[in-house]
Amino acid sequence: MKPYVYITRKLSEETIKELTENFEVKMWDHEDLPAPREVLMNEAKRASALITMLSDKVDEELLTAGENLKIVSNLAVGFDNIDLETATKRGIIVTNTPDVLTETTADLTWALLMSAARRIVEAAEYVKAGKWEGWSPYLLAGHDVYGKIIGIVGMGKIGEAVARRAKGFGMEILYHNRTRKTEAEIELGAVYSTFDELVAKSDYVVTLAPLTAETRNLFTADVFAKMKNSAIFINAGRGPVMDEQALYEALKNGEIAGAGLDVFEKEPISADHPLLQLPNVTAIPHIGSASTETRTTMIKLCCSNVKAVLNGDSPKTIVNKQVL
C-alpha cells in the first residue's frame, strides 16, 4: 500500500501534485476552517505524513496516536503549535518553511506600519461612509515615518528585511534580540538595545519575535506605559507575546498612539473583540506571508519535505535534526 498523507486544509491540486502522483493523499474539505479535533485525531492514526497549519494543535496526544507517523510538515516558519519534544522522542521529523516567506512578510509588516501610522484603513472607511465633506488641516492626520526611530524586537531574517526597508526611510534602527547581529549593525547601522531602552526610545515598536517561554506575554501594561505617547505598536509575529487587555487599555487611555496587528492571542477573533472597537487599531487576519507566490512556494516546500521523508531521504528544512 502507498503511504498515506493527510493535509489539514484544502489546497489546490496543482500545488500538491508531487504528492498525489506518489502517495495516497486526502485533504480536509475547507480552505479556511481547520479540521475538527476528532477528524485530525482519526487521520493521524492512519497517516504516515501530516501537512499542518500553524492553527493545528499537534500535541502529545495526537503524536502518540500517530503510530505510523514519520513527518509533520508545518506550513509556517514557526512551529510552536507542535510538541517538538514528543515528536523527537517518537522519531517523528518536523519540518517548517523558513526563508521563502521572509521578504513577503517584511512587505506586509511594513504595509501594516504605514497603514497604522497614516490611518489608511480609517481614512478609507471615512470616505466610503460618505463622511468626507471637505478639506481641513488636521483631517485624519497621522504620524510621519521618515526619519523616525524604529525598534525591532526579534531580529531574525524577517526583522532584518524590515530594517532594510526602514533604512530606505531614513529611520534610526534599534533592535533587541537574543544574539547580536553584527552584520546588520554594519550593513544597516542597526543599534543593539536592551528591551527597556528600545521601547522607551522608539516611535515604532515592531515585534517579530517567535513565541517562546521567554517571549510569551512580553508586552505587558508596564511595557506599554514605558512607550512614548506618540508610539505605534506593530505585531506581525505571534499574538501571545502581547497582553491584549493591557494593549487595549494603553490605546484607550492614550498611553500609546496606535497599533497595527496581524496576530492575536487566540485566532480567529470575533467582530466584537475589544481591540476592533478602537479607531486607532489596524487589524488584519494573520496574512503575513499571504501572497499567491509565497504561499504556493510554501506549500510546495511542505510537499517536497514529505516526499523526501517517505522516500527515505532527508527533507530540506528539518527542525529537529537530531531525529535523522
Side-chain angles (χ1 to χ4, degrees):
M1 293 178 62
K2 291 182 178 180
Y4 178 64
V5 180
Y6 186 71
I7 305 172
T8 65
R9 291 296 188 286
K10 185 178 181 181
L11 306 176
S12 73
E13 294 292 339
E14 182 61 30
T15 58
I16 63 168
K17 191 175 180 181
E18 185 175 17
L19 295 183
T20 55
E21 289 179 345
N22 293 276
F23 312 110
E24 182 184 355
V25 179
K26 183 180 177 182
M27 293 185 286
W28 176 239
D29 59 3
H30 203 293
E31 293 180 10
D32 302 319
L33 299 178
R37 177 70 176 181
E38 60 271 20
V39 171
L40 190 53
M41 284 293 297
N42 286 332
E43 295 294 346
K45 293 175 183 178
R46 181 186 170 199
S48 297
L50 294 174
I51 294 181
T52 56
M53 313 296 138
L54 196 61
S55 54
D56 296 319
K57 187 177 181 181
V58 185
D59 56 10
E60 182 178 7
E61 181 187 28
L62 189 142
L63 292 167
T64 302
E67 296 181 0
N68 301 315
L69 203 54
K70 295 180 179 178
I71 176 174
V72 175
S73 186
N74 214 39
L75 189 72
V77 173
F79 43 87
D80 45 86
N81 59 311
I82 300 172
D83 183 340
L84 196 61
E85 182 179 354
T86 297
T88 303
K89 285 180 180 178
R90 296 185 62 81
I92 300 169
I93 290 172
V94 175
T95 62
N96 62 343
T97 58
D99 304 331
V100 297
L101 48 70
T102 298
E103 298 299 336
T104 301
T105 305
D107 280 349
L108 188 282
T109 304
W110 196 254
L112 192 54
L113 184 153
M114 292 287 291
S115 296
R118 296 301 303 272
R119 302 171 66 180
I120 299 299
V121 175
E122 190 180 354
E125 293 301 321
Y126 184 87
V127 174
K128 289 181 179 180
K131 296 180 180 179
W132 188 23
E133 297 179 348
W135 186 91
S136 62
Y138 290 102
L139 175 65
L140 289 160
H143 299 262
D144 283 333
V145 174
Y146 188 87
K148 294 297 184 75
I149 302 172
I150 185 172
I152 302 172
V153 179
M155 194 69 155
K157 291 183 178 179
I158 297 170
E160 290 185 25
V162 169
R164 287 196 298 273
R165 288 155 176 77
K167 184 179 181 182
F169 276 73
M171 301 183 84
E172 180 181 342
I173 303 166
L174 308 180
Y175 79 95
H176 181 73
N177 200 59
R178 285 177 296 182
T179 56
R180 293 282 293 268
K181 294 298 185 78
T182 53
E183 289 186 8
E185 292 175 12
I186 295 169
E187 176 191 352
L188 303 170
V191 176
Y192 178 81
S193 301
T194 66
F195 181 72
D196 287 342
E197 288 173 339
L198 183 149
V199 298
K201 292 181 179 179
S202 299
D203 297 301
Y204 297 91
V205 177
V206 179
T207 176
L208 293 158
L211 181 61
T212 65
E214 291 75 26
T215 63
R216 184 179 292 275
N217 211 37
L218 178 64
F219 289 90
T220 61
D222 288 342
V223 172
F224 291 123
K226 292 175 183 176
M227 294 183 188
K228 297 177 180 179
N229 291 343
S230 58
I232 292 176
F233 175 69
I234 306 295
N235 189 354
R238 288 291 179 265
V241 305
M242 63 185 177
D243 180 333
E244 286 184 0
Q245 183 61 34
L247 175 59
Y248 172 81
E249 296 295 338
L251 289 163
K252 184 180 179 182
N253 297 330
E255 292 182 6
I256 64 174
L261 307 173
D262 185 39
V263 290
F264 297 85
E265 287 182 11
K266 294 181 180 179
E267 299 174 358
I269 61 172
S270 62
D272 61 356
H273 190 288
L275 284 167
L276 299 188
Q277 313 314 309
L278 300 176
N280 52 347
V281 172
T282 301
I284 53 178
H286 203 151
I287 56 171
S289 61
S291 73
T292 301
E293 299 93 335
T294 294
R295 287 288 168 86
T296 299
T297 302
M298 290 168 66
I299 293 167
K300 288 184 176 180
L301 178 55
C302 280
C303 293
S304 177
N305 283 331
V306 167
K307 182 180 178 182
V309 170
L310 296 186
N311 284 338
D313 299 322
S314 297
K316 293 179 181 178
T317 54
I318 184 170
V319 174
N320 52 347
K321 295 181 180 179
Q322 59 268 47
V323 173
L324 293 180

